[in-house]
Amino acid sequence: MKTSCRCHAGSDGLKLSASGPQRFRRAASWIVPSVALAAIPKCPVCLAAYVTVFTGCGISLAVAGAVRLIMAASCIACLAYLAAKSLSATIAGR
């Protein structure tokens, strides 16, 4: 016989509140792609210069433009996934 008490909600498969490391990981999963998206250089010349300074290898402007678009698309896709995951958890009542 089940009662309406939720003292042992974790045993029924419901999530209890997240611990400190889980909260940090959840926050970092939003912060990292957001900061990366904001930090992407807006012109391919700047990106090519950053790659040259940090790695010592130069890249062409065409490659820098493609890398910039791929980086932006991957950050946006990651943020869209996190938003969809958060929305579905909210709808499910977790």
Side-chain angles (χ1 to χ4, degrees):
M1 181 172 165
K2 289 188 178 184
T3 63
S4 62
C5 178
R6 296 283 181 171
C7 296
H8 303 290
S11 63
D12 293 335
L14 299 175
K15 277 189 171 180
L16 297 175
S17 65
S19 66
Q22 290 173 340
R23 287 182 193 162
F24 177 76
R25 188 177 22 211
R26 192 177 305 144
S29 68
W30 281 94
I31 292 170
V32 170
S34 300
V35 169
L37 185 62
I40 295 173
K42 305 304 180 233
C43 67
V45 176
C46 296
L47 181 63
Y50 287 148
V51 169
T52 302
V53 167
F54 291 121
T55 65
C57 299
I59 59 173
S60 69
L61 293 180
V63 171
V67 168
R68 186 175 59 91
L69 288 175
I70 291 169
M71 286 173 58
S74 64
C75 289
I76 291 170
C78 183
L79 290 170
Y81 168 75
L82 289 170
K85 185 177 171 183
S86 177
L87 183 64
S88 69
T90 302
I91 291 172
R94 293 186 196 169

